[in-house]
Amino acid sequence: MKFSQAFKGREQDIIDLFHATFARAEGAEEGALIGNLVRHQMAGTAEPDLHVFLAERDRAIVGGAIFSRLTYDQDDRSVFILAPVAVASEWQGQGVGQKLLAHGLETLRYAGVDVVLTYGDPNYYSRVGFKPINESLAPAPFILKQPEGWLGQSLTGGEMVPFKGAPRCIPALNDPVFW
């Protein structure tokens, strides 16, 4: 398994991975929604605000994780949100996602990112260090439909302290449908 951040020129393959993975798991509508999210993230996000991590096997993309900047208007910490993550169906259950996320988190730690948040399955994301948080600690950009899925982790080794100010995500995630 090889990990890479080289996504330029491979955007359609990445979109196809996310679309197919989510369509198989949650239906065609969800596949289309997440495929379009990924398309907009890669096309419309400034380079310093986006990290795309890929897992590859024999030059084929078998997994992807996208981290994008989340800002709090009165807080100087560097914060990224992980959304979405996909592993090709035939590679699921083999640790690909966990290894990919561990690689991405370590890369972000070395890049000086302070905190990473995500919104998803606590059982899955706890395997790579995410812990449940609440909105008094880290307000979400929109009302959370499933607040138990709001998760975070400090990459500095310190305890997370409440964020100050209003949250703002990248334009691609700036839609209540994702929250």
Side-chain angles (χ1 to χ4, degrees), residues 13-68:
D13 291 337
I14 297 166
I15 293 163
D16 292 347
L17 166 74
F18 279 89
H19 181 273
T21 301
F22 278 85
R24 278 192 199 104
E26 300 182 40
E29 188 176 316
E30 188 74 6
L33 178 72
I34 300 303
N36 283 329
L37 167 63
V38 170
R39 177 186 323 279
H40 293 299
Q41 284 176 302
M42 291 188 295
T45 306
E47 198 169 308
D49 296 338
L50 184 73
H51 292 273
V52 178
F53 292 96
L54 305 172
E56 301 176 50
R57 182 66 177 230
D58 299 326
R59 297 171 39 129
I61 299 170
V62 299
I66 301 178
F67 296 81
S68 59

Side-chain angles (χ1 to χ4, degrees), residues 108-121:
L108 293 175
R109 181 183 339 274
Y110 284 121
V113 173
D114 298 307
V115 174
V116 175
L117 305 174
T118 195
Y119 184 43
D121 179 1

Side-chain angles (χ1 to χ4, degrees), residues 1-7 10 51-56 63-67 80 82 85 87 95-113 116 124-125 127-130 153 155:
M1 189 73 44
K2 176 185 166 198
F3 300 109
S4 165
Q5 283 189 269
F7 75 92
R10 305 175 79 190
H51 292 273
V52 178
F53 292 96
L54 305 172
E56 301 176 50
I66 301 178
F67 296 81
F80 276 75
L82 166 61
V85 176
V87 175
V96 172
Q98 289 179 44
K99 291 173 189 166
L100 176 62
L101 292 176
H103 171 76
L105 291 165
E106 191 63 20
T107 301
L108 293 175
R109 181 183 339 274
Y110 284 121
V113 173
V116 175
Y124 180 79
Y125 291 106
R127 297 177 195 165
V128 291
F130 285 94
Q153 71 173 286
L155 298 184

